[in-house]
Amino acid sequence: MYSISEIARLSGISPYTLRYYEKIGVLHNPARQEGRKNGVRRYSDQDLRFIRFIHGLKQTGMKLEDIASFVQEGCLIADDYPETQIDETLSKRIEILDDHLEQLDLQMQQLEAVRSFTLEKRAFYVNLQSQRDQEKN
């Protein structure tokens, strides 16, 4: 089990942000030491994995509202809900992730275009520098 400071260090998310994410429903409330309502937060390896996933979604541009919706939809799957509602929940989660994957694909295309142009410019300057070095000799 990890404390909030350990989770912050391992996930790259500050303790303040972790508390905020709990408050707005992006993260579930973690277990508490000795089960007390105000006890010290205790996070499991599974919590850490999920926090890293959430952090990755945020870092790649997913809106907090969409992340919160994704998390809330997941709660319905775990609870005792009718099959039709679970099917809707699964569809909603898939839709959220599909939309995000489309955004990631677009970002990757944009990054690849910038990378390609940067490589061309670098090659130009390396070539120019090489020519100048040859002229000096």
Side-chain angles (χ1 to χ4, degrees), residues 30-56:
R32 300 287 183 142
Q33 189 173 16
E34 298 174 11
R36 293 184 299 184
K37 182 179 176 183
N38 293 325
V40 175
R41 289 169 173 82
R42 305 303 296 166
Y43 298 89
S44 67
D45 287 326
Q46 184 176 354
D47 292 329
L48 174 60
R49 186 169 181 253
F50 187 72
I51 289 167
R52 285 178 171 161
F53 173 68
I54 294 300
H55 188 52

Side-chain angles (χ1 to χ4, degrees), residues 16-76:
Y16 174 83
T17 301
L18 289 167
R19 288 183 199 100
Y20 176 70
Y21 284 0
E22 289 172 27
K23 182 178 177 181
I24 65 170
V26 170
L27 292 176
H28 302 292
N29 291 323
R32 300 287 183 142
Q33 189 173 16
E34 298 174 11
R36 293 184 299 184
K37 182 179 176 183
N38 293 325
V40 175
R41 289 169 173 82
R42 305 303 296 166
Y43 298 89
S44 67
D45 287 326
Q46 184 176 354
D47 292 329
L48 174 60
R49 186 169 181 253
F50 187 72
I51 289 167
R52 285 178 171 161
F53 173 68
I54 294 300
H55 188 52
L57 293 176
K58 180 68 177 125
Q59 284 185 312
T60 56
M62 186 181 276
K63 297 176 187 172
L64 282 176
E65 299 85 38
D66 290 338
I67 296 172
S69 177
F70 180 83
V71 171
Q72 290 162 2
E73 292 293 331
C75 292
L76 298 178

Side-chain angles (χ1 to χ4, degrees), residues 2-3 6 10-11 18 27 36-37 39 52-53 73 79 112 116 131 137:
Y2 304 99
S3 68
E6 291 169 324
L10 293 169
S11 69
L18 289 167
L27 292 176
R36 293 184 299 184
K37 182 179 176 183
R52 285 178 171 161
F53 173 68
E73 292 293 331
D79 293 336
E112 187 55 42
S116 179
Q131 287 174 7
N137 292 333

Side-chain angles (χ1 to χ4, degrees), residues 100-114:
H100 189 61
L101 285 168
E102 282 181 34
Q103 284 299 120
L104 289 175
D105 287 342
L106 181 61
Q107 287 175 354
M108 288 172 64
Q109 290 171 6
Q110 292 169 340
L111 285 171
E112 187 55 42
V114 170

